[in-house]
């Protein structure tokens, strides 16, 4: 897990994307296929501490509604025991899966099949919390976003 949630030094001339985000490695639930850019959630059905270090596709459904971030790497197929991916748990994520036409600057929440949708701010908010903000208008089912959802 991250030793610090602070962004790196931003005063040097070598500021990079990694200076604006926090990336962690998670196990992937066996049988689940994750593509880079999809939102992932904690596998709350996993036993004990595994629930805090195993992810599956975030869907917004009960049990799959604790998004931790955007997959930076994918599984390349159905995960087998021990497969891991890198997940952006805070900060900038380019080309994150997001429903088309979500406006720039809009809060987003976990939707279906690992895709973020516009935050509804309705009765759903008791089970689905915002997980970030778009930086650009979503197009072609992707948007650059700032990830803010990490419960880690």
């Amino acid at each position: 897990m991250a030793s610090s949630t602070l962004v790196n030094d931003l005063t040097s001339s070598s500021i990079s994307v990694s200076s604006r985000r926090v990336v962690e490695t998670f196990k992937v639930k066996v049988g689940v296929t994750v593509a880079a850019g999809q939102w992932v959630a904690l596998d709350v059905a996993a036993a004990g501490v595994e629930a805090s270090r195993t992810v599956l596709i975030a869907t917004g459904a009960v049990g799959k509604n604790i998004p931790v971030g955007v997959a930076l790497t994918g599984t390349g197929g159905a995960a087998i025991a021990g497969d891991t991916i890198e997940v952006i748990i805070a900060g900038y994520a380019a080309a994150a899966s997001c429903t088309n036409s979500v406006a720039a600057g809009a809060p987003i929440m976990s939707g279906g099949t690992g895709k973020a949708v516009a935050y509804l701010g309705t009765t759903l908010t008791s089970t689905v919390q915002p997980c970030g903000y778009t930086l650009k208008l979503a197009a072609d089912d992707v948007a650059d976003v700032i990830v803010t959802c990490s419960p880690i």
Side-chain angles (χ1 to χ4, degrees), residues 39-125:
W39 292 82
V40 294
L42 295 176
D43 180 11
V44 296
V49 72
E50 291 302 312
S52 70
R53 57 184 174 203
T54 305
V55 294
L56 41 67
I57 302 297
T59 66
V62 173
K64 297 179 182 177
N65 63 347
I66 306 174
V68 291
V70 175
L72 184 59
T73 58
T75 56
I80 60 172
D83 280 357
T84 61
I85 59 169
E86 291 185 319
V87 176
I88 301 167
I89 64 168
Y92 177 76
S97 185
C98 187
T99 301
N100 282 338
S101 300
V102 174
I108 51 179
M109 65 184 206
S110 176
T113 61
K115 187 180 294 186
V117 297
Y119 182 64
L120 301 177
T122 65
T123 55
L124 278 179
T125 59

